[in-house]
Amino acid sequence: MKQLIVSCESSTIQAALLEGRKLVEYDAQHPSDTQRAGSIYLGRVVNVLPGMQAAFVDIGLTKNAFLYIDDVLPVHMQKQPKTKPPIGDLLTPGQKVLVQVVKEPEGSKGARITTHFSIPGRWLVYMPGAGYTAVSRKIEADDEKARLKAAADSLRFGEEGLILRTVSEGRSEEELRRDLLDLREIWALVEQRAASAAAPSCVYQDLELLPRLARDVITDDVLEIRVNDAAVCDGLRGLLKQRSPELAARVQLDDGAEPLFERFGITEELARSMRRKVWLPSGGYLVIDPTEALTVIDVNTGRYTGTSSLEQTVFRTNLEAAAEIPRLLRLRNLRGIIIVDFIDMELPSHRERVLETMTEAVKKDRSKTVLLGWTKLGLLEITRKRK
């Protein structure tokens, strides 16, 4: 059973998604927050770097954004290394360029940007200029994939690109069409603003927390939605009524005396899960160290000594870690390259079981998470898609 708990305190909105009463996702919107990932800017090229096949672009943030040649070339050319022209043939200093942020500024690095635009809707992702359709890999039935792809092919015009999101499974062609019309309107507005805007400036900002919840988080399997603020409750219902009236009926105003996050144990669990050292049920623990380049997760037996053999002690600790790590990736929103240093296991069957456990757990993640397998040093390599 999935539950969404939305708590409003002092102009801050917090949202927690529970699966089987266990906290798996968390998001918050503070009064001063500015969402950059997904937002579209009219920028100005500052520097072109031929040796790196890249450029720096001023989009109005503290640091200039980074634009690589693959994010400038048309989609059909970016994977053909022999046909790539010099970056200087495509961009020149002072040139205006419309770009979308794909990675937030982090540490000493500026934002990563692209000219391959994508705007997510309720059922679709709209990509002007991509020229293809695709269906989420999480939709497993071949006949449903074929139905959705055929519907999308019949709806898109010219060089439009469409991705059928996982939640589009079972949706009618009319529902997909309405979603596409809304997305086309958004893109038309972006082009209209870009035509008259000065550079640098933001011409489209991705949705705030409540619309993102309605679009991305609240799906058919979220059976209970509790909100402790009447205005926010009404706002969320209104957003859901536009596309999913049956989901709007699940939004309940909860005006109990005890704070929602306290009642559901969310505050305590957040504090536990966000620490550098996270304990596992049997007494083992994880150490999580994010860096600018990647995130390293180390698995340790800790207080757990087992009862039979060292191999069994290690195996049980690693199994618990394999179940917990995918939840923490979602909850802490860790992205990019992730390296997990499991405790060394002697039996190949144990390594396979640990990998199977993680493979099943990452299927629940809305972000694309790929397990690349074991390295020669016995480390598990993972990539999790950045927004």
Side-chain angles (χ1 to χ4, degrees), residues 202-216:
C202 180
V203 295
Y204 168 78
Q205 188 168 337
D206 198 17
L207 300 175
E208 294 184 342
L209 180 57
L210 287 186
R212 288 205 311 273
L213 293 176
R215 182 188 70 189
D216 298 333

Side-chain angles (χ1 to χ4, degrees), residues 109-130:
K109 298 179 180 178
R112 175 76 181 266
I113 55 178
T114 184
T115 63
H116 301 158
F117 304 99
S118 63
I119 303 174
R122 187 71 178 94
W123 318 119
L124 306 169
V125 177
Y126 181 69
M127 303 175 296

Side-chain angles (χ1 to χ4, degrees), residues 185-386:
E185 287 184 9
I186 292 173
W187 179 243
L189 183 60
V190 168
E191 292 185 306
Q192 179 183 333
R193 288 174 176 171
S196 58
S201 61
C202 180
V203 295
Y204 168 78
Q205 188 168 337
D206 198 17
L207 300 175
E208 294 184 342
L209 180 57
L210 287 186
R212 288 205 311 273
L213 293 176
R215 182 188 70 189
D216 298 333
V217 178
I218 302 175
T219 53
D220 292 339
D221 56 353
V222 178
L223 302 182
E224 184 179 37
I225 305 164
R226 291 179 177 268
V227 186
N228 69 348
D229 181 273
V232 172
C233 184
D234 289 342
L236 191 53
R237 281 178 184 153
L239 290 166
L240 290 168
K241 281 179 181 177
Q242 298 174 19
R243 285 288 179 267
S244 306
E246 70 280 3
L247 295 180
R250 299 178 189 177
V251 181
Q252 306 171 32
L253 177 62
D254 189 311
D255 54 2
E258 186 180 5
L260 271 180
F261 271 33
E262 299 291 339
R263 191 192 319 162
F264 284 87
I266 295 168
T267 302
E268 182 181 348
E269 180 57 27
L270 266 178
R272 185 190 79 84
S273 299
M274 295 297 180
R275 297 186 184 116
R276 178 174 180 262
K277 186 175 183 178
V278 179
W279 289 95
L280 299 171
S282 294
Y285 64 88
L286 308 173
V287 175
I288 304 173
D289 286 315
T291 72
E292 285 193 17
L294 50 81
T295 298
V296 179
I297 302 176
D298 186 35
V299 183
N300 300 273
T301 54
R303 296 191 294 255
Y304 180 55
T305 57
T307 56
S308 56
S309 68
L310 175 61
E311 178 68 12
Q312 284 299 321
T313 301
V314 167
F315 178 49
R316 178 167 179 176
T317 303
N318 283 343
L319 271 184
E320 290 183 354
E324 179 73 348
I325 288 169
R327 183 185 77 91
L328 293 174
L329 298 184
R330 295 169 66 188
L331 184 57
R332 297 167 69 132
N333 203 20
L334 297 173
R335 298 176 181 272
I337 301 170
I338 299 153
I339 302 295
V340 183
D341 185 8
F342 284 100
I343 309 166
D344 290 339
M345 294 171 281
E346 295 181 0
L347 299 179
S349 61
H350 285 175
R351 289 161 62 97
E352 292 172 8
R353 179 77 181 281
V354 167
L355 188 57
E356 287 171 2
T357 299
M358 286 205 70
T359 300
E360 284 301 310
V362 299
K363 288 180 180 178
K364 301 175 183 177
D365 197 340
R366 289 185 293 112
S367 292
K368 182 180 179 181
T369 305
V370 179
L371 306 183
L372 299 173
W374 303 96
T375 70
K376 291 181 179 179
L377 295 175
L379 307 173
L380 184 65
E381 294 179 309
I382 304 171
T383 61
R384 188 165 184 268
K385 187 176 181 180
R386 295 186 183 275

Side-chain angles (χ1 to χ4, degrees), residues 23-66:
L23 179 64
V24 294
E25 292 185 25
Y26 170 79
D27 203 350
Q29 179 179 302
H30 305 281
S32 59
D33 280 355
T34 299
Q35 174 75 14
R36 295 192 181 94
S39 297
I40 298 175
Y41 293 80
L42 183 65
R44 188 180 298 278
V45 177
V46 177
N47 294 319
V48 176
L49 309 174
M52 295 179 64
Q53 284 284 68
F56 285 104
V57 180
D58 179 10
I59 60 173
L61 305 183
T62 304
K63 295 181 180 295
N64 291 330
F66 183 79

